[in-house]
């Protein structure tokens, strides 16, 4: 694995992505039913079955319900997020099971041991916690996907929770589908892809932290999540599916993380060497088998990854990307997250959205240019409770790919603040 597994760039990178020609492709699904009355707080509109419409090569409107009603309030936004989560699970990620009927935990030395039981089956896994600050706490912590330590610098004052995500769901190519402890508990043919299974694991870690706070001295309300590359996709999905995550830090997640399927498809059609949906489902088991039916026509999907990111809004997110390889989504992540940012804008929360794309570093080697003024500002403000940690309203690229964000997102941004 690692960057060497990505195909070599053989074509000149396409850095210019004009908006696609707006199209409304034909679909057999009935047109959306217009709802004139916005839902009152606590009452969400029902989600019509099926993919809905319009089918479009532009990025979907996060502020219009699947049934056609408009999102006009914060309460509507919460309803819409729940709907988007269900749609993502149905067509791409697979089902996220609810909290198991029993979760127990113990902390000894630096090891947090977790047991989850459901339907007469049970699994156990453990995470090690390093760098717990001295003092009574409680202290913040960052859950890091992978067993080799975080690939970004975690500052003093923040513990690191080392999560062996592959133990929960394997990611060893197509033949590893259904392997790992998640599938021991829920069955090897469960619909969840590895990303969803890992998010489930992150949720169980937080359950365990809630149970053992007196021992770990970790504050379960100040938990960040990070990972790089394939594990960055995991960090993004965990932040999206688990609202108890206080800070989401996906590093070079690329396609399947902060990239949009439609942008990658468009680039691919122009000959760029990008990872797209048809390729990614061949490479690994990150997604549900249900996604296979849509990868060759991603325009049908009632979402794209700007809306996966939007499940985090208005919680804080800081997305790190790389300009050096087309395959890693240099254009697609910039366009996708540029559009995603509009969801934080709608909520009056632009100080909780960061996208930063730099280069000169090899894949997953954190560049120092993102450290003091960006990563440390996010961790300082949102995990260490230091209001003066710096500016966290960030959207920048050292190459600024020419993607027309407004043409890719031809819908109004409401004021939900
Ligand atoms: C950016 O994440 C992946 C990418 O999706 C794969 O195509 C490539 O093989 O590996 C990357 C990765 O996880 O590198 C460590």
């Amino acid at each position: 694995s690692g960057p060497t597994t990505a195909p070599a760039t053989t074509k000149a990178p396409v850095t210019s992505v004009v908006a696609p020609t707006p199209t409304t492709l034909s679909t057999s699904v009935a047109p959306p039913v217009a709802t004139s009355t916005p839902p009152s707080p606590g009452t969400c509109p029902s989600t019509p079955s099926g993919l809905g419409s319009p089918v479009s090569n532009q990025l979907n409107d996060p502020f219009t319900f699947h049934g056609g009603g408009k999102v006009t309030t914060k309460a509507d936004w919460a309803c819409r997020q729940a709907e988007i989560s269900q749609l993502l699970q149905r067509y791409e990620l697979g089902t996220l099971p609810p909290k198991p009927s029993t979760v127990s935990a113990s902390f000894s030395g630096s090891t947090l041991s977790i047991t989850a039981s459901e339907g007469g089956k049970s699994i156990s896994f453990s995470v090690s916690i390093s760098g717990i600050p001295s003092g009574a706490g409680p202290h913040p912590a960052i859950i890091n996907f992978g067993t080799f330590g975080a690939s970004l610098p975690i500052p003093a004052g923040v513990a690191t929770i080392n999560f062996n995500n592959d133990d929960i769901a394997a990611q060893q190519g197509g033949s590893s589908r259904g392997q790992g402890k998640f599938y021991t508990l829920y069955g090897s043919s469960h619909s969840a892809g590895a990303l969803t299974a890992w998010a489930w694991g992150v949720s169980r870690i937080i359950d365990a932290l809630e149970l053992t706070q007196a021992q770990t001295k970790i504050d379960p309300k100040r938990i960040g999540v990070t990972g790089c590359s394939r594990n960055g996709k995991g960090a993004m999905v965990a932040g999206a599916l688990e609202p108890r995550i206080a800070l989401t830090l996906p590093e070079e997640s690329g396609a399947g993380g902060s990239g949009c399927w439609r942008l990658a498809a468009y680039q691919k059609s122009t000959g760029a060497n990008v990872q797209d949906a048809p390729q990614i489902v061949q490479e690994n088991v990150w997604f549900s088998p249900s996604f296979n039916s849509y990868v060759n026509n991603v325009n049908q999907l009632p979402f794209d990854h700007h809306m996966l990111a939007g499940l985090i809004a208005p919680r804080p997110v800081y997305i790190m990307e790389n300009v050096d390889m087309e395959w890693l989504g240099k254009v697609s992540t910039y366009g996708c997250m540029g559009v995603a940012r509009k969801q934080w804008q709608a909520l009056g929360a632009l100080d909780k959205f960061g996208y930063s794309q730099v280069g000169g570093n090899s894949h997953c080697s954190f560049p120092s240019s993102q450290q003091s003024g960006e990563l440390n500002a996010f961790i300082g403000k949102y995990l260490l409770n230091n209001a003066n940690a710096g500016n966290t309203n960030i959207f920048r690229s050292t190459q600024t790919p020419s993607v027309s964000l407004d043409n890719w997102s031809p819908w109004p941004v409401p004021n939900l603040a």
Side-chain angles (χ1 to χ4, degrees), residues 2-3 5-6 229-230 233 252-255 275 279-280 283 286 327-328 363:
T5 59
S229 206
R230 57 197 61 204
K233 308 180 207 306
E252 298 192 42
S253 61
Q275 180 162 42
Q279 190 281 337
I280 207 168
E283 179 176 334
W286 294 313
W327 183 259
L328 296 177
H363 183 42

Side-chain angles (χ1 to χ4, degrees), residues 25 36 53 88 108 114 139 143 158 166 188 202-203 216 235 263 281 283 285 313 333 344 370 372 382 402 417:
L25 306 177
S36 49
S53 63
L88 273 156
S108 167
I114 304 157
H139 308 286
I143 298 172
V158 182
D166 292 14
S188 59
V202 164
S203 296
T216 62
L263 274 143
V281 299
E283 179 176 334
V285 293
T333 67
W344 277 260
Q370 288 175 325
S372 61
Y382 299 117
S402 73

Side-chain angles (χ1 to χ4, degrees), residues 73 127 174 198 218 230 373 375:
T73 64
V127 293
W198 300 337
I218 300 293
R230 57 197 61 204
L375 178 66

Side-chain angles (χ1 to χ4, degrees), residues 72-312:
T72 61
T73 64
K74 265 189 183 144
D76 290 349
W77 178 244
C79 288
R80 178 66 171 139
Q81 283 181 309
E83 177 176 86
I84 292 166
S85 178
Q86 291 309 312
L87 293 167
L88 273 156
Q89 289 178 53
R90 193 188 299 163
Y91 297 116
E92 177 181 321
L93 297 171
T95 304
L96 177 71
K99 183 175 176 176
S101 43
T102 314
V103 178
S104 59
S106 63
F107 185 63
S108 167
S110 60
T111 304
L112 179 63
S113 303
I114 304 157
T115 298
S117 311
E118 186 74 279
K121 286 187 189 161
S122 117
I123 57 127
S124 296
F125 68 103
S126 62
V127 293
S128 70
I129 309 183
S130 51
I132 302 181
S134 54
H139 308 286
I142 292 177
I143 298 172
N144 177 61
F145 277 58
T147 47
F148 300 108
S151 49
L152 49 71
I154 294 180
V158 182
T160 303
I161 299 174
N162 302 286
F163 175 41
N164 181 3
N165 51 310
D166 292 14
D167 182 41
I168 299 298
Q171 51 170 337
Q172 299 294 321
S175 62
S176 66
R177 168 81 64 198
Q179 291 174 17
K181 288 173 178 169
F182 176 92
Y183 303 99
T184 304
L185 193 59
Y186 293 109
S188 59
S189 56
H190 191 280
S191 69
L195 299 175
T196 303
W198 300 337
W200 176 92
V202 164
S203 296
R204 304 296 73 81
I205 295 171
I206 300 177
D207 295 343
L209 292 169
E210 288 175 351
L211 293 168
T212 58
Q213 187 176 338
Q215 291 79 49
T216 62
K217 298 185 289 169
I218 300 293
D219 183 354
K221 293 197 174 350
R222 284 185 294 152
I223 302 298
V225 65
T226 193
C228 190
S229 206
R230 57 197 61 204
N231 290 339
K233 308 180 207 306
M236 172 77 96
V237 169
L241 296 182
E242 174 48 83
R244 291 174 294 176
I245 291 292
L247 176 60
T248 305
L249 300 167
E251 186 179 356
E252 298 192 42
S253 61
S258 66
C260 277
W261 303 122
R262 285 168 174 83
L263 274 143
Y266 177 77
Q267 282 190 278
K268 184 86 180 176
S269 75
T270 67
N273 183 29
V274 296
Q275 180 162 42
D276 63 355
Q279 190 281 337
I280 207 168
V281 299
Q282 297 298 323
E283 179 176 334
N284 223 314
V285 293
W286 294 313
F287 302 95
S288 174
S290 63
F291 189 40
N292 295 347
S293 308
Y294 306 101
V295 292
N296 291 311
N297 186 1
V298 293
N299 294 343
Q300 296 175 92
L301 294 169
F303 51 77
D304 211 315
H305 274 215
H306 63 306
M307 287 159 65
L308 172 70
L311 296 182
I312 303 169

